[in-house]
């Protein structure tokens, strides 16, 4: 059997400390048995002597790290190496010692308690923990105590609950407290370990103080020109409380200043701001006195009976006199004047006065910006307004001017007042007919029939109840054709006086109509109404108003009229085609076929025009280059479009003819407007006046021997040059060259 002997050890183990001894009944003490150790910590924490069986701890043990270890031991025969006994298990339990102090894991602490709290009011609770074994001895039993913070607070030694130790602590006296708390193990006995923490305690505010004015009377001075709604002064009460408890509400006690002033609170400074509700007037009242209450906007009912939560102060406001501008008797003036009133007519007056004590005289003027055309003038002393120009209601019906009043003692002080001047209408324009001045009457009109209604308009301003009257002039009243019937409602009707009207006899009638108004003075005008006689059907629908229509056969239908019109159009088309064919035929007699034109072949059916025929080619341009600048159109070919002559640079008199011809050749080659048959020349008659006489053999009066042709040899090169200029193969009638 394997035995384990437990040996009492000191409370703290050092390295290689002996713990206990293993021994087997087989072991006779002669060294033939050895011991082995296996399990938790074997070889690292615990070791065994193989011969004696002594077990040692090779390092210190910590119960807080591991509370027990399980080991297995065995006795083995040294010679055979076989176990002499079965394996045995051992448990080593580490006993605790007081090696850990209490600790406040949540410290430092912060707590708040209302001021004026009663004795024993709960503040907060602290807690310390000890890592030692609470089941073994007093190592983990903690006791709490206050090292600093008395006599204001106390702590329960077992629970760590902190409470107030003094009643009615005042925040305004002291607001912050720092309390030092100790936790000691071993039940607080001597030799125990201790831990310390700090608790910061703040007294929270309660509304236990009323606002107080630093003085009982506030004196303020306010200029009489202060604007309504502006701040005119500030007063302030103080409250030692904080936050909402320090918010103050100001109220004006009903009395002298309640209707003139108001008071509000500045949220940032808690000052009372006096606001002006009504204008001040030094001349009417020079001072105001009233009381103001300052109270807490929020208060605690628990402290309401301690003291009144408001304070009262007196406010005296002195109104300061300020030099003010003149004041008009009215805010605006409205005047009336008839148009065309003579210049200088008085139409009204404005008045202003100095309300200051000085009572300075006032001077008046019209703001030039409001009366740029100077229609009006004003007396600078009396303020009397008169006309300066003739007024026309039809041009400007209302004038809006501004009058300025200034003080003689201080011209910089001025005031303005608007003056509205209505220009009243004078009946100066006669009424006029407002409908078109032309109407029609049917040939089959009946006597008494209204053929047209007319009305009138007046450029004058129409007064209430204005009436227009319509009538014929006296000389027209006896005529038997038409009359005017006044309906009495500012309109009239044109009435036929007989049955039937004939266009063939009288197509137009001119009826003068007299229109009068009822204003003063009475104005009248005569308008002439043109009446055209028209053909109408039986229901009065107008069919035709043209005089020539009366010669058409009676009863001709619309279809017949359309057929006649188509025939006329066809006839016109035939005439146009005939004229076009005639013109084409005439053109073909003067020119050969189109194929001849394209081949540039010229046929001469007669002799050329001679000296006078210079339009086809003017050789004079070779003699006088300036003549080439003239714009000459060819008479032998009708151009399709007439083009604006080209602007050519002037040619000097001494210009070489060859250079001149080359320039013209390039010019004509680049001209896109020239026709392709510009070399075609036809002559329908023989020219006259040639110096060389006729070159033709026709009717020649001389024989070939007498005729001299030497002069042509000089022109040969010139003909070649001209041919090159006008496009290659050409044929020229020499009768045209001189």
């Amino acid at each position: 059997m394997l035995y384990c002997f437990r040996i009492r050890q000191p409370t703290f183990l050092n390295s290689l400390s002996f713990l206990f001894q293993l021994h087997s009944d087989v072991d006779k003490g002669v060294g033939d048995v050895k011991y082995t150790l296996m399990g938790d910590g074997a070889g690292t924490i615990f070791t065994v002597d193989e011969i004696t069986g002594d077990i040692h701890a090779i390092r210190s043990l910590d119960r807080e790290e591991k509370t027990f270890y399980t080991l297995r031991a065995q006795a083995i025969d040294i010679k055979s190496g076989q176990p002499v006994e079965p394996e045995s298990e051992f448990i080593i339990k580490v006993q605790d010692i007081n090696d850990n102090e209490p600790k406040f894991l949540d410290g430092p602490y912060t707590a708040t308690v209302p001021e004026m709290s009663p004795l024993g009011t709960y503040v907060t609770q602290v807690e310390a923990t000890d890592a030692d074994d609470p089941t073994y001895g007093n190592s983990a039993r903690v006791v709490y105590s206050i090292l600093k913070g008395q006599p204001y607070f106390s702590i329960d030694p077992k629970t760590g609950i902190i409470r107030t130790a003094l009643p009615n602590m005042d925040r305004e006296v002291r607001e912050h407290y720092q309390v030092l708390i100790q936790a000691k193990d071993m039940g607080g006995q001597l030799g125990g370990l201790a831990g310390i923490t700090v608790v910061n305690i703040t007294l929270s505010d309660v509304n236990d103080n009323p606002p107080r004015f630093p003085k009982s009377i506030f004196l303020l001075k306010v200029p009489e020109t202060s604007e309504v709604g502006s701040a005119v002064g500030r007063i302030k009460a103080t409250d030692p409380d904080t936050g909402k408890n320090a918010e103050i509400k100001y109220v004006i006690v009903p009395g002298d200043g309640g209707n003139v002033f108001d008071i509000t609170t500045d949220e940032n400074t808690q000052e009372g701001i006096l606001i002006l509700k009504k204008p001040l007037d030094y001349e009417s009242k020079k001072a105001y006195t009233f009381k103001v209450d300052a109270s807490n906007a929020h208060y605690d009912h628990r402290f309401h009976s301690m003291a009144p939560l408001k304070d009262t102060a007196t406010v005296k406001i002195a109104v300061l006199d300020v030099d003010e501008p003149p004041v008009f008797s009215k805010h605006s003036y409205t005047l009336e004047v008839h148009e065309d009133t003579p210049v200088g007519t008085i139409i009204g007056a404005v008045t202003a006065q100095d309300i200051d004590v000085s009572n300075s005289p006032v001077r008046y003027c019209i703001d030039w910006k409001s009366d740029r055309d100077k229609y009006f003038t004003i007396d600078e002393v009396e303020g009397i307004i008169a006309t300066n120009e003739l007024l026309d209601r039809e041009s400007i019906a209302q004038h809006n001017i501004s009058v300025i009043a200034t003080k003689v003692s201080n011209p910089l002080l001025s005031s303005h007042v608007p003056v509205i001047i209505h220009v009243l209408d004078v009946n100066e324009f006669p009424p006029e007919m407002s409908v078109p001045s032309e109407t029609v009457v049917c040939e089959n009109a009946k006597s008494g029939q209204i053929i047209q209604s007319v009305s009138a308009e007046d450029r004058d301003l129409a007064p209430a109840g204005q009436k227009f009257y319509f009538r014929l002039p006296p000389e027209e009243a006896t005529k038997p054709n038409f009359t005017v019937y006044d309906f009495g409602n500012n309109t009239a009707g044109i009435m036929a006086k007989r049955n039937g009207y004939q266009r063939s006899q009288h197509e137009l009638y001119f009826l003068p109509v007299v229109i009068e108004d009822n204003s003063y003075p009475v104005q009248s005008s005569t308008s002439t109404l043109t009446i055209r006689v028209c053909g109408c059907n039986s229901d009065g629908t107008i069919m035709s108003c043209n005089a020539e229509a009366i010669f058409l056969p009676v009863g001709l239908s619309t279809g017949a009229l359309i057929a006649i019109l188509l025939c006329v159009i066809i006839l016109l088309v035939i005439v146009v085609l005939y004229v076009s064919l005639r013109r084409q035929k005439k053109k073909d007699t003067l020119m050969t076929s189109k194929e001849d034109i394209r081949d540039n072949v010229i046929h001469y059916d007669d002799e050329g025009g001679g000296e006078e025929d210079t339009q086809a080619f003017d050789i004079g341009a070779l003699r006088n280059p300036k003549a080439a600048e003239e714009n000459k159109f060819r008479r032998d070919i009708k151009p399709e479009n007439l083009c604006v002559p080209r602007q050519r640079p002037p040619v000097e008199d001494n210009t070489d003819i060859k250079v001149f011809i080359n320039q013209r050749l390039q010019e004509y080659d680049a001209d896109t407007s020239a026709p392709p048959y510009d070399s075609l020349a036809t002559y329908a008659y023989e020219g006259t006046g040639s110096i060389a006489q006729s070159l033709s053999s026709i009717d020649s009066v001389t024989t070939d021997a007498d005729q001299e042709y030497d002069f042509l040899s000089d022109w040969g090169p010139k003909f070649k040059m001209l041919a090159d200029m006008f496009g290659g193969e050409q044929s020229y009638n020499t009768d045209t060259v001189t």
Side-chain angles (χ1 to χ4, degrees), residues 89-317:
E89 185 177 83
F90 301 93
I91 296 176
I92 299 177
K93 185 176 181 181
V94 182
Q95 290 184 350
D96 186 38
I97 61 173
N98 189 21
D99 59 344
N100 293 283
E101 74 277 5
K103 294 182 179 180
F104 293 93
L105 301 180
D106 297 329
Y109 294 85
T110 300
T112 302
V113 63
E115 66 171 334
M116 309 303 293
S117 296
L119 178 66
T121 301
Y122 174 85
V123 178
T124 188
Q125 184 178 13
V126 297
E127 183 180 5
T129 59
D130 195 318
D132 294 328
D133 187 2
T135 63
Y136 181 78
N138 294 325
S139 298
R141 190 163 68 89
V142 179
V143 175
Y144 301 96
S145 62
I146 293 179
L147 300 181
K148 177 184 176 182
Q150 295 175 336
Y152 306 104
F153 301 95
S154 64
I155 188 170
D156 189 303
K158 294 182 178 180
T159 62
I161 295 176
I162 301 175
R163 299 180 183 274
T164 58
L166 287 179
N168 301 325
M169 286 189 291
D170 192 356
R171 185 198 66 83
E172 286 73 34
V173 176
R174 183 177 177 181
E175 183 177 5
H176 300 288
Y177 296 86
Q178 189 177 72
V179 180
L180 192 62
I181 304 297
Q182 174 184 269
K184 190 174 183 180
D185 59 11
M186 298 297 292
Q189 297 178 7
L190 185 63
L193 302 177
I196 298 174
T197 189
V198 175
V199 181
N200 294 311
I201 301 175
T202 301
L203 298 182
S204 61
D205 185 56
V206 297
N207 194 8
D208 59 338
N209 294 285
R212 298 295 184 192
F213 284 107
K215 53 185 178 180
S216 60
I217 298 176
F218 290 87
L219 300 178
L220 301 175
K221 295 180 180 181
V222 180
E224 64 174 335
T225 55
S226 299
E227 296 182 359
V228 174
S230 63
V232 296
R234 290 174 176 250
I235 61 174
K236 185 176 182 180
T238 59
D239 191 329
D241 296 324
T242 61
K244 289 186 176 181
N245 297 325
E247 294 181 1
I248 302 175
K249 179 175 64 176
Y250 298 91
V251 177
I252 295 178
V253 178
D256 187 26
N259 296 329
V260 181
F261 300 94
D262 195 4
I263 190 169
T264 60
T265 302
D266 188 327
E267 296 181 356
N268 296 323
T269 63
Q270 295 300 312
E271 292 178 306
I273 305 174
L274 289 167
I275 305 298
L276 184 62
K277 291 172 59 177
K278 294 183 178 180
L280 300 176
D281 185 11
Y282 174 82
E283 288 71 27
S284 299
K285 191 167 185 176
K286 297 177 176 58
Y288 294 87
T289 301
F290 51 90
K291 294 182 180 297
V292 175
D293 285 342
S295 61
N296 283 128
H298 310 278
Y299 62 92
D300 194 332
H301 294 280
R302 296 176 299 173
F303 307 100
H304 181 67
S305 59
M306 295 176 55
L309 299 178
K310 69 175 183 178
D311 194 14
T312 302
T314 300
V315 178
K316 292 184 177 182
I317 296 179

Side-chain angles (χ1 to χ4, degrees), residues 468-661:
F468 295 119
Y469 303 99
F470 302 84
R471 61 179 176 83
L472 291 178
E475 63 273 12
E476 293 290 332
T478 58
K479 293 185 178 181
N481 296 315
F482 303 95
T483 186
V484 175
Y485 181 79
D486 195 334
F487 294 132
N489 58 355
N490 290 344
T491 62
I494 307 301
M495 180 186 296
K497 293 179 63 176
R498 61 186 178 87
N499 295 328
Y501 298 86
Q502 295 295 325
R503 278 181 290 172
S504 59
Q505 297 178 1
H506 207 145
E507 183 183 3
L508 296 176
Y509 292 91
F510 300 98
L511 182 66
V513 178
V514 179
I515 307 174
E516 296 179 348
D517 58 19
N518 64 339
S519 300
Y520 181 82
V522 175
Q523 298 286 351
S524 66
S525 67
T526 301
S527 300
T528 300
L529 182 66
T530 301
I531 303 174
R532 183 180 299 275
V533 180
C534 296
C536 306
N537 56 15
S538 59
D539 59 359
T541 303
I542 298 175
M543 302 297 294
S544 175
C545 291
N546 296 327
E548 59 273 11
I550 60 176
F551 299 105
L552 292 176
V554 178
L556 192 60
S557 64
T558 304
L561 292 175
I562 295 175
I564 294 174
L565 182 60
L566 290 176
C567 291
V568 173
I569 293 174
I570 293 172
L571 182 60
L572 290 175
V573 172
I574 293 174
V575 172
V576 171
L577 292 176
Y578 176 76
V579 173
S580 300
L581 292 174
R582 291 286 297 174
R583 290 182 178 178
Q584 183 67 28
K585 184 175 181 180
K586 183 177 180 180
K587 181 177 181 181
D588 290 342
T589 59
L590 296 177
M591 300 175 60
T592 58
S593 65
K594 295 181 180 179
E595 291 77 4
D596 294 338
I597 296 174
R598 288 196 302 267
D599 294 338
N600 290 327
V601 178
I602 301 176
H603 296 268
Y604 296 94
D605 295 333
D606 53 16
E607 188 173 356
E611 186 71 22
E612 293 182 355
D613 187 3
T614 60
Q615 297 300 321
F617 179 78
D618 189 3
I619 196 64
L622 298 177
R623 298 176 178 176
N624 184 12
K626 292 184 178 179
E629 306 303 321
E630 297 179 0
N631 181 26
K632 298 180 180 180
F633 296 96
R634 293 173 56 177
R635 293 181 301 177
D636 56 329
I637 298 176
K638 181 180 180 181
E640 295 183 359
N641 294 309
L642 294 179
C643 301
V644 178
R646 294 186 298 268
Q647 297 296 327
R648 301 169 179 168
V651 182
E652 300 295 335
D653 291 343
N654 58 356
T655 303
D656 185 69
I657 293 179
K658 182 176 181 180
V659 175
F660 169 76
I661 293 176

Side-chain angles (χ1 to χ4, degrees), residues 430-444:
E432 298 175 351
M433 189 178 297
S434 60
V435 298
S437 60
E438 184 174 344
T439 186
V440 298
V441 62
C442 293
E443 287 183 313
N444 55 1

